[in-house]
Amino acid sequence: MSDAGTAPRGVGVVVVAAGSGTRLGAGIPKAFVDVGGRRIVDWAVDGARAVPGVVHVVVVVPPAYVEMPIPPRRDVDVEPDPELTEALYAGAAADRVPVTVVAGGAERSDSVRAGLAALGTDIDIVLVHDAARCFTPAAVYERVIAAVVAGDRAVVPGLAVVDTMKVVGPDGLVVYTPDRSRVRAIQTPQGFARVALEQAHASGVHASDDAMLAEECGIPVRVVDGDPLAFKVTTPADLDQAHKLLASAPTLWVIGGLPGTGKTTAGRVLAAEEGATHLRVDSIEVALLGAGIDEVTSEGYAALYAVARDQLRLGGSVVADLVNPIPLTREALRAVARDAGASIREIQLVCSDAAEHRRRVENRAADIPGHRLPTWADVEARQFEAWPESVTIDTAGLDVEAIVRQIRGRVPEGRG
């Protein structure tokens, strides 16, 4: 680690997912239990990869699971258009953070050591995170990282306790009652200057968390604020809480496709039915031009990302209506959902009947003052890459009610 306050070369995250999870009683390691259509470990990995500054994630799993795929990873090979600004691709880099899967050991500390050894040499700060805390907000990661960057060698997130705590002896009698105001329930990720974590693990002893090893080495450990969402899935009641959390999360509906496929018409109806905010990139771009911007490239998308993130963080769902033509813009929207703790549903609309599609394009009337509608030649020339990971709905011959029924009935829910 360099001088306090100096930006690190890189942040690495060791996601510990090697436990058996016997208290959950699922019959498989708890990190591989399904929550909302995805495994607990997938949520945890996705969350870690979305944190600014993270350049490598190592997942430590039971030996039998080393060959597991990592569904959250979506490689993005398209290079940004040099004529567009960086804002268009905000958040897309998170999905290029490499993920390495290694086998864990008999004890938790053995697993952390295996993960630490697998991190790249460019890592100065290491976060150790329990996969079972799969919904930990990015803000918790960021507080831990900031404290390490500022000079602390070991940092843990913690929550104040609301119950009176008792220390009990082996005979069942109370030894003493600690001052509750000074007690914290410790969570993860726990962050360390890499050299400090390596020092803490050099003894080869075992502990229930890495901060305990640091304490035994005489390394001061700072506590920063944790978050109730960083709860640990350990028991069936915790798993039920995780399911309920996903069920109550706001949703980012992303409706993309070429002009004339029915995005705006369907988006308006869907937003009304869902009680969601309808965000249309055309409206934003026209407003920016009216405000004096000579040419709008990525600015409309960047503004939509920002407004969508704010609405989702307030707990409201959003229907984003935009062409969404290339993988990088789609990754940016996934990052918006991740940042806001929202689920995301991705829909690509197409019209397989070229004559019908052309009729729609040529017979539309502008409903935004100052908006120049694209011609059929514009649509044919428009850059648009297929969106195979989304649900694709062919709108040829369908009215808006039928399109929306298909959207609502066919789209699986995911998290960013």
Side-chain angles (χ1 to χ4, degrees):
M1 184 84 179
S2 53
D3 293 340
T6 301
R9 288 184 298 162
V11 178
V13 182
V14 175
V15 176
V16 183
S20 61
T22 54
R23 284 177 286 178
L24 192 58
I28 59 174
K30 67 180 175 184
F32 298 88
V33 170
D34 180 273
V35 178
R38 302 175 70 203
R39 301 169 304 186
I40 286 174
V41 66
D42 298 335
W43 295 121
V45 171
D46 229 15
R49 293 170 66 230
V51 176
V54 170
V55 298
H56 190 190
V57 174
V58 175
V59 190
V60 189
V61 300
Y65 288 79
V66 170
E67 299 303 318
M68 74 169 200
I70 304 292
R73 182 171 183 178
R74 301 180 179 98
D75 290 311
V76 180
D77 297 323
V78 179
E79 290 299 320
D81 184 332
E83 295 182 1
L84 301 182
T85 68
E86 196 172 299
L88 182 60
Y89 308 105
D95 286 286
R96 293 199 295 270
V97 173
V99 177
T100 303
V101 182
V102 300
E107 302 287 343
R108 184 185 189 281
S109 295
D110 294 326
S111 296
V112 174
R113 290 175 192 126
L116 182 58
L119 284 173
T121 57
D122 58 337
I123 303 298
D124 290 318
I125 292 177
V126 179
L127 307 184
V128 181
H129 186 51
D130 291 335
R133 300 185 187 274
C134 54
F135 300 133
T136 300
V140 177
Y141 286 87
E142 292 169 1
R143 284 194 288 270
V144 171
I145 293 169
V148 179
V149 170
D152 288 305
R153 301 174 68 204
V155 181
V156 299
L159 290 177
V161 298
V162 296
D163 297 317
T164 297
M165 312 297 289
K166 302 284 186 183
V167 177
V168 181
D171 56 2
L173 297 176
V174 172
V175 177
Y176 71 95
T177 303
D179 179 357
R180 184 174 62 187
S181 67
R182 301 181 62 187
V183 176
R184 296 293 182 272
I186 298 305
Q187 302 176 320
T188 66
Q190 299 185 355
F192 304 87
R194 183 172 187 159
V195 291
L197 185 60
E198 290 173 340
Q199 176 188 346
H201 277 276
S203 64
V205 301
H206 302 294
S208 60
D209 77 348
D210 300 277
M212 185 181 299
L213 294 177
E215 294 164 33
E216 292 178 356
C217 291
I219 298 172
V221 179
R222 182 174 298 281
V223 179
V224 297
D225 289 340
D227 193 289
L229 288 176
F231 68 93
K232 189 174 184 179
V233 178
T234 302
T235 67
D238 299 326
L239 185 60
D240 185 55
Q241 181 182 354
H243 284 295
K244 289 178 179 177
L245 176 65
L246 285 181
S248 64
T251 300
L252 173 60
W253 299 79
V254 179
I255 303 181
L258 287 169
T261 54
K263 298 186 308 298
T264 299
T265 305
R268 286 171 172 162
V269 173
L270 178 64
E273 292 184 359
E274 290 289 317
T277 298
H278 178 232
L279 296 181
R280 184 181 177 189
V281 76
D282 288 342
S283 299
I284 295 171
E285 290 176 344
V286 170
L288 291 172
L289 289 169
I293 296 178
D294 293 333
E295 182 181 6
V296 174
T297 54
S298 66
E299 293 85 356
Y301 274 72
L304 185 143
Y305 300 155
V307 176
R309 185 181 289 109
D310 284 346
Q311 292 298 309
L312 293 166
R313 284 176 173 171
L314 289 170
S317 293
V318 170
V319 175
D321 161 12
L322 65 180
V323 173
N324 211 21
I326 57 177
L328 283 168
T329 62
R330 299 163 196 162
E331 297 301 338
L333 283 159
R334 292 170 188 148
V336 168
R338 280 195 302 268
D339 291 348
S343 62
I344 185 168
R345 302 191 182 193
E346 302 176 297
I347 307 100
Q348 176 183 225
L349 300 186
V350 300
C351 182
S352 62
D353 184 331
E356 179 182 346
H357 192 184
R358 180 170 185 169
R359 255 192 328 271
R360 291 180 185 176
V361 170
E362 293 181 340
N363 291 328
R364 292 195 305 171
D367 61 346
I368 307 170
H371 183 210
R372 188 192 76 81
L373 290 172
T375 65
W376 178 243
D378 292 333
V379 172
E380 288 187 304
R382 181 69 190 257
Q383 177 191 13
F384 188 88
E385 298 185 35
W387 199 357
E389 66 270 34
S390 70
V391 167
T392 299
I393 296 174
D394 186 351
T395 65
L398 299 181
D399 59 22
V400 64
E401 289 78 12
I403 296 170
V404 173
R405 278 198 302 272
Q406 287 208 33
I407 291 173
R408 294 170 67 91
R410 292 181 51 197
V411 181
E413 185 171 336
R415 290 275 283 200

